Amino acid sequence: MTTVDTTHELDHHDEGSYLTPKYGAMGTVWDWMTTVDHKKIGVMYLFAVLFMFFLGGVAALAVRLELLEPVRIAADGSITGQLFGGDGEAIATGNQVYNRLFTLHGAIMVFMFIVPSVPASLGNFFLPLMLGAKDVAFPRLNLFSWYIYVSGSIFGIASIVLGGVDTGWTFYTPYSTTTDADHWRVLLMVLAAFVLGFSSILTGLNFIVTTHKLRAPGMGWFDMPLFIWAIYATSIIQVLATPVIGITLLLLIFERLFKVGIFDPGLGGDPVLYQHFFWFYSHPVVYVMILPGMGIISELLSVHCRKQIFGYRAIAFSSLGIAAVSFIVWGHHMFTAMGELASTIFSALTFLVAIPTAIKVFNWIATLYKGSIAINTPMLYALSFLFLFSIGGLTGLPLGALATDLHLHDSYFVVAHFHYVMMGGTVIAFIGGIHHWWPKMFGRMYNEKAGMLGCVLVFIGFNLTFMTQFFLGTQGMPRRYASYVDEFQFLHSLSTYGSWFLLAGFLTHLFNFIHSLVAGPKAPPNPWGGLTVEWETESPPIEHNFHHEVLVKHGPYDFDTVVPPHCDERDFPLPPQDQVRAH
Amino acid sequence: MATIDANKPDLPAAGAKSHPLYWKNRGFAHHFRNADEQFDACKLGMWLFLTTEVLLFAGIFCAYAIFRMLYPEAWTAGSHHLDWRFGGLNTIVLLISSWTVASGVRSAQLGNNAALIRNLLITLVCAALFVFIKLYFEYIPKLSMGKAPGTFFSYPYAHDPHEPLWWSVYYIGTGIHALHVFIGAGLLTWVLVRAIKYEAYGPTEYTMVETSALYWHLVDLVWIFLFPLLYLIH
């Protein structure tokens, strides 16, 4: 930190928005590429992860397209074979194309989209703002981790361009160490995941230190918005779990390059050890994916129904509880590879996750009770989250129970459960959060009707796509197959039609956002009447975030007693004070 | 933060003191409220990073434990090939370097730049010595005899069919540790250069010395675990 700055008392009154270009065209590009401003880095992350979401989504649509018909393999090759592998491909080639597509979908969505999605974009932008800080603790490290993310993604995309990988996103050994022996594709993809891990670690580390050290005066731990609690719990998992995947993937790379034998049964190594290592990271990391989404939902529900969040401490501690439990449940990914005792213990521990999760859901529902619920896009997304995430969470229980898992494992039931939690949970919350904070980030309002239309399309499409897969799974449709018996066709085709609805919904949002950037009405500083600190500054925020040093005088959800900053009391009236109960 | 007051008049004030990196001219980044807060943040950040490093090595130690449990004979036989005297010598070298780097932090806190430079130099010499012993007396002779990891293993007198796995764990563990020696030495070299050129560290500004020293202690710590587990189990 070499900056000499003795002007901490300075008011930043004459400062423009962080988006205002100060230099010429090339200068502005250079300014963004070298910026240490957490807001700009957050925006760059936002566009990067949304691009990855698009790439992974294309692969998903192709997978669904392939599954529209039960008979994948006509003599002239598969549907996706024709699209991606050329005409006249042999049967095996058609299968390989399918395997590559679902691997690309999984690897891109997990490593390049959903893990960095909320924390790196919205988290980067709003964590310092919500804490009343001027930046994250280590701004240059923040930029560095963005570049690491980009380099990792380039490795991943290079692997795809060179022909793709068909190992599944989990890279299970020994297949991943022996396949594709004379090419670099698997190695590149594994290297991509390894490099992306560093980005994740550094972002998490930065956020933990920022939360500890840079809270505005007056903001104690229990005055923090719940989004911060969620990001904080996420960061702990990122810092503690990601190094383990680092060494795992490094060993996998050594295994491929030097045949060290750690995971090779031929030399006495153990492929199941790889799975233990892998899931010791990758199970906690599903909470890295969902926890920030839960944080967004706490904000959305409270602000858009103008009510004090119910059970603040319960929600805050349940985030930490989920983070703690996440580290002791990895074995449920290997029930068939462990002894009875170990499986039983892991099964029991897995059920523990349901407790803090249910605490959150019940508190959210209690928050809605007697609130003045606004029907707008963020609220519709928050309500969608409650439906979809509850289904996703509850269907996890039969998978955690040994007896039912025996029937359901490796079937479409798992696929549906996972997507209900990850897409119905995280992605839904992410899009809801983008709508909620869009005016703050870019200073423009989006079109509310178009936003709600998009949300309805996504909700219908999502359920059509994945509800059907629960039924397919219970009837015995295994995951990761390109063809199936004719009886499954009705449900499979419904699922594929659903994916088109999803596409329509996302495109609606995309056009809405573009329209907003080009021609949207200017956003007021606090369009929703929020009480968290980020609404005190302008939309978009000035370069140093706040005009004055922030002093926090009220809680983040005191809607009963505080008129929101920049808001007229007529727009956001307080309830009669004799009806306000103590919380 | 040290309790020494930077404004005390008896502190040394030698050299060309106009450079912004000279420790008395150092401020703190604009998003911190004061220098103490910045120092605490940096230190917390480094401790968190060290946690991730410990977890990284935990994977290797875990693999070590599992394969030692599965193939105890291979581990005993493999450990026989390691000379505890070289391992012990390297342990002493690293312990000395840990002491000198800690003294370096103390020197910076006291504003004794010459002592800081001296301590850092000894630390770096120790780092080089460690790598030299590792390479010249251990890696190179062993590799030339075919005691190599995995499928590259070609030593004809192996006692146990799983010895290649032992060598894999040995080379991966010590190799990644050696990589950390290089990274730590790189950090300390950077500190050294800035200490020599700008007298960049003093009682009010020694964040970089302290965090680099913390990293170096980790390098030492990991070796403290690797040494007995690899060299002293037969």
Side-chain angles (χ1 to χ4, degrees):
Chain A
M1 309 295 155
T2 52
T3 320
V4 180
D5 186 357
T6 52
T7 56
H8 283 254
E9 306 305 315
L10 188 75
D11 282 352
H12 300 291
H13 262 308
D14 43 350
E15 235 175 53
S17 132
Y18 79 101
L19 288 171
T20 314
K22 286 191 285 292
Y23 317 97
M26 284 315 289
T28 305
V29 172
W30 180 247
D31 180 43
W32 277 75
M33 290 290 101
T34 56
T35 185
V36 289
D37 182 347
H38 69 101
K39 300 184 287 300
K40 287 180 179 170
I41 294 172
V43 169
M44 293 199 292
Y45 261 120
L46 182 67
F47 287 115
V49 296
L50 288 179
F51 176 69
M52 288 303 163
F53 183 61
F54 169 74
L55 282 190
V58 169
L61 285 168
V63 164
R64 279 316 322 164
L65 192 62
E66 172 64 46
L67 294 167
L68 189 60
E69 300 279 335
V71 188
R72 169 193 54 77
I73 314 131
D76 56 344
S78 66
I79 298 174
T80 48
Q82 287 174 9
L83 277 175
F84 298 93
D87 291 323
E89 297 278 349
I91 289 170
T93 318
N95 270 332
Q96 276 168 358
V97 170
Y98 180 82
N99 292 347
R100 279 185 201 144
L101 278 175
F102 76 68
T103 303
L104 297 187
H105 167 65
I108 291 179
M109 284 299 196
V110 169
F111 295 115
M112 297 168 212
F113 168 65
I114 205 162
V115 170
S117 63
V118 180
S121 61
L122 294 179
N124 236 323
F125 200 106
F126 287 105
L127 181 113
L129 275 173
M130 287 174 128
L131 292 172
K134 286 185 194 145
D135 210 319
V136 290
F138 309 119
R140 285 183 294 187
L141 190 70
N142 202 14
L143 181 67
F144 183 54
S145 63
W146 188 75
Y147 276 106
I148 298 177
Y149 169 78
V150 171
S151 350
S153 303
I154 288 172
F155 285 132
I157 291 173
S159 161
I160 297 168
V161 172
L162 291 175
V165 182
D166 63 352
T167 57
W169 73 274
T170 50
F171 309 122
Y172 269 17
T173 54
Y175 184 66
S176 63
T177 50
T178 49
T179 182
D180 185 36
D182 44 355
H183 293 286
W184 293 85
R185 298 180 295 219
V186 175
L187 203 63
L188 269 174
M189 191 56 101
V190 173
L191 194 65
F194 175 74
V195 170
L196 288 165
F198 277 101
S199 164
S200 190
I201 288 176
L202 296 179
T203 303
L205 185 154
N206 218 336
F207 287 176
I208 292 179
V209 177
T210 308
T211 311
H212 273 272
K213 298 294 173 195
L214 291 182
R215 296 192 310 276
M219 186 183 282
W221 280 89
F222 294 106
D223 304 315
M224 293 196 309
L226 287 165
F227 180 64
I228 306 287
W229 273 102
I231 292 282
Y232 182 73
T234 307
S235 304
I236 290 177
I237 305 178
Q238 282 179 309
V239 166
L240 294 184
T242 318
V244 179
I245 195 71
I247 189 66
T248 310
L249 296 176
L250 203 58
L251 290 174
L252 190 60
I253 291 169
F254 288 156
E255 191 80 52
R256 279 192 73 91
L257 287 179
F258 309 118
K259 308 272 183 283
V260 289
I262 304 272
F263 304 132
D264 178 5
L267 284 167
D270 187 359
V272 180
L273 179 66
Y274 173 81
Q275 299 183 16
H276 278 284
F277 276 178
F278 182 83
W279 289 113
F280 184 82
Y281 160 78
S282 291
H283 197 80
V285 95
V286 300
Y287 302 104
V288 165
M289 305 174 198
I290 190 65
L291 272 169
M294 293 169 156
I296 292 177
I297 294 305
S298 300
E299 300 300 320
L300 260 50
L301 282 176
S302 182
V303 171
H304 294 282
C305 75
R306 308 218 57 69
K307 191 153 162 285
Q308 173 92 5
I309 194 99
F310 190 90
Y312 173 91
R313 286 191 183 218
I315 295 180
F317 281 124
S318 63
S319 289
L320 296 181
I322 289 173
V325 178
S326 74
F327 282 97
I328 49 175
V329 299
W330 80 90
H332 68 218
H333 293 272
M334 289 157 288
F335 278 154
T336 49
M338 292 189 304
E340 263 177 38
L341 178 67
S343 297
T344 312
I345 291 171
F346 274 119
S347 173
L349 290 171
T350 300
F351 290 137
L352 279 184
V353 181
I355 297 171
T357 314
I359 287 175
K360 278 183 191 289
V361 172
F362 287 127
N363 278 309
W364 288 326
I365 293 171
T367 303
L368 287 169
Y369 178 64
K370 285 192 177 175
S372 53
I373 298 171
I375 297 301
N376 55 23
T377 317
M379 181 48 105
L380 282 190
Y381 266 109
L383 295 175
S384 306
F385 177 96
L386 286 182
F387 281 107
L388 303 178
F389 179 74
S390 298
I391 295 173
L394 288 170
T395 49
L397 294 175
L399 291 172
L402 291 177
T404 39
D405 184 58
L406 206 60
H407 177 66
L408 295 172
H409 87 275
D410 255 349
S411 76
Y412 261 66
F413 194 90
V414 180
V415 179
H417 157 70
F418 183 76
H419 283 86
Y420 260 85
V421 182
M422 288 298 116
M423 190 168 178
T426 309
V427 176
I428 292 289
F430 186 33
I431 303 170
I434 294 177
H435 280 94
H436 177 71
W437 281 304
W438 183 268
K440 181 56 69 186
M441 283 192 287
F442 298 107
R444 302 273 187 169
M445 298 305 285
Y446 58 88
N447 185 310
E448 197 66 78
K449 286 208 175 91
M452 289 200 283
L453 172 70
C455 178
V456 170
L457 283 173
V458 167
F459 186 78
I460 294 172
F462 179 83
N463 281 302
L464 204 54
T465 310
F466 293 107
M467 185 70 85
T468 45
Q469 297 185 3
F470 281 124
F471 297 107
L472 282 169
T474 49
Q475 289 168 19
M477 173 74 205
R479 65 197 286 204
R480 296 184 167 176
Y481 278 78
S483 56
Y484 50 85
V485 292
D486 292 342
E487 285 81 355
F488 292 144
Q489 190 184 0
F490 176 65
L491 287 170
H492 261 306
S493 53
L494 273 188
S495 179
T496 302
Y497 299 145
S499 69
W500 298 342
F501 273 94
L502 275 173
L503 176 67
F506 288 131
L507 286 179
T508 312
H509 287 317
L510 179 68
F511 289 128
N512 194 15
F513 287 145
I514 293 173
H515 176 262
S516 161
L517 285 179
V518 177
K522 222 174 145 4
N526 192 0
W528 318 122
L531 286 178
T532 38
V533 179
E534 81 270 26
W535 302 110
E536 282 180 22
T537 185
E538 277 154 46
S539 299
I542 58 168
E543 193 155 340
H544 286 86
N545 290 355
F546 300 99
H547 287 304
H548 307 279
E549 184 149 16
V550 176
L551 183 63
V552 179
K553 291 181 184 141
H554 55 76
Y557 309 109
D558 291 344
F559 294 105
D560 289 345
T561 49
V562 181
V563 179
H566 303 294
C567 285
D568 197 317
E569 204 175 338
R570 280 166 299 184
D571 297 330
F572 296 102
L574 297 178
Q577 289 301 302
D578 55 334
Q579 290 178 17
V580 173
R581 281 171 299 173
H583 290 279
Chain B
M1 227 29 210
T3 50
I4 297 166
D5 184 358
N7 299 320
K8 265 164 75 175
D10 57 340
L11 283 170
K17 306 312 180 197
S18 58
H19 196 277
L21 285 178
Y22 174 56
W23 65 270
K24 280 188 186 172
N25 300 336
R26 297 288 290 279
F28 48 91
H30 77 282
H31 56 290
F32 289 107
R33 278 176 287 262
N34 52 53
D36 281 2
E37 195 180 72
Q38 171 167 313
F39 175 78
D40 289 345
C42 291
K43 211 167 153 180
L44 177 61
M46 185 44 100
W47 274 107
L48 282 169
F49 189 71
L50 296 188
T51 315
T52 72
E53 293 280 19
V54 168
L55 283 156
L56 184 98
F57 280 100
I60 297 169
F61 285 118
C62 185
Y64 171 94
I66 285 167
F67 291 123
R68 185 176 167 184
M69 185 187 74
L70 289 174
Y71 315 119
E73 294 84 10
W75 253 232
T76 314
S79 182
H80 269 293
H81 294 289
L82 300 180
D83 191 336
W84 68 268
R85 284 167 299 188
F86 291 128
L89 183 61
N90 259 346
T91 309
I92 293 167
V93 167
L94 277 190
L95 283 175
I96 291 173
S97 74
S98 244
W99 178 55
T100 52
V101 84
S103 308
V105 177
R106 178 83 182 138
S107 315
Q109 287 169 342
L110 293 174
N112 188 344
N113 200 45
L116 171 64
I117 292 169
R118 197 167 56 236
N119 277 311
L120 288 175
L121 276 174
I122 300 173
T123 312
L124 287 172
V125 168
C126 286
L129 195 60
F130 177 89
V131 174
F132 173 75
I133 293 171
K134 195 90 217 140
L135 272 179
Y136 191 76
F137 294 109
E138 303 212 73
Y139 280 180
I140 293 172
K142 287 194 179 69
L143 286 172
S144 61
M145 286 160 72
K147 297 171 188 170
T151 45
F152 295 106
F153 185 79
S154 60
Y155 183 62
Y157 311 112
H159 292 288
D160 191 283
H162 294 115
E163 261 186 57
L165 209 55
W166 153 267
W167 290 111
S168 294
V169 171
Y170 169 79
Y171 282 108
I172 291 171
T174 55
I176 295 181
H177 175 259
L179 176 70
H180 283 74
V181 172
F182 279 107
I183 296 171
L187 282 172
L188 292 173
T189 308
W190 192 54
V191 172
L192 178 67
V193 168
R194 292 182 24 138
I196 293 173
K197 274 173 90 171
Y198 311 115
E199 203 177 332
Y201 308 103
T204 54
E205 176 55 55
Y206 56 91
T207 311
M208 199 48 215
V209 189
E210 170 111 15
T211 47
S212 312
L214 277 174
Y215 190 89
W216 190 255
H217 290 314
L218 173 95
V219 171
D220 189 20
L221 181 79
V222 170
W223 181 255
I224 295 292
F225 281 88
L226 279 174
F227 169 57
L229 287 175
L230 293 172
Y231 290 78
L232 304 178
I233 57 170
H234 51 269

